[in-house]
Amino acid sequence: DRAQFFPAPDPAVLRSELGLPVNGVLLGTAARLHQDKNHAAVIRALAALRADGADVHALFLGEGPLRDELEQLAASEGVRD
């Protein structure tokens, strides 16, 4: 039943309810945290975009062998919110 999806919720309200930044661009990925996915490149790009003044955030959903390493990279790049 498609009716349950209409009207679509206000994105700002939905982001707030999920504890996500209300403003700016939000990139999201749901994947296994593995080297093949190259999440590290996304983290570095996010840091570069923010350094240029962009209001951009990323949300990674998943588990995998690189989780701790990616969290440390995000912290060292200053983008772990």
Side-chain angles (χ1 to χ4, degrees):
D1 181 18
R2 296 181 328 150
Q4 64 184 344
F5 300 104
F6 296 97
D10 179 344
V13 172
L14 184 58
R15 284 183 178 199
S16 179
E17 288 175 357
L18 294 172
L20 301 171
V22 175
N23 297 313
V25 174
L26 179 62
L27 308 171
T29 181
R32 186 171 64 120
L33 303 177
H34 188 273
Q35 187 151 347
D36 292 344
K37 307 293 183 177
N38 203 8
H39 292 101
V42 176
I43 292 170
R44 289 186 185 100
L46 179 66
L49 288 166
R50 284 191 181 179
D52 285 343
D55 187 10
V56 61
H57 309 271
L59 176 65
F60 294 87
L61 301 172
E63 289 289 336
L66 294 183
R67 181 183 176 120
D68 291 339
E69 182 179 324
L70 293 170
E71 286 182 358
Q72 290 173 4
L73 177 62
S76 71
E77 293 286 341
V79 296
R80 185 173 181 195
D81 296 333

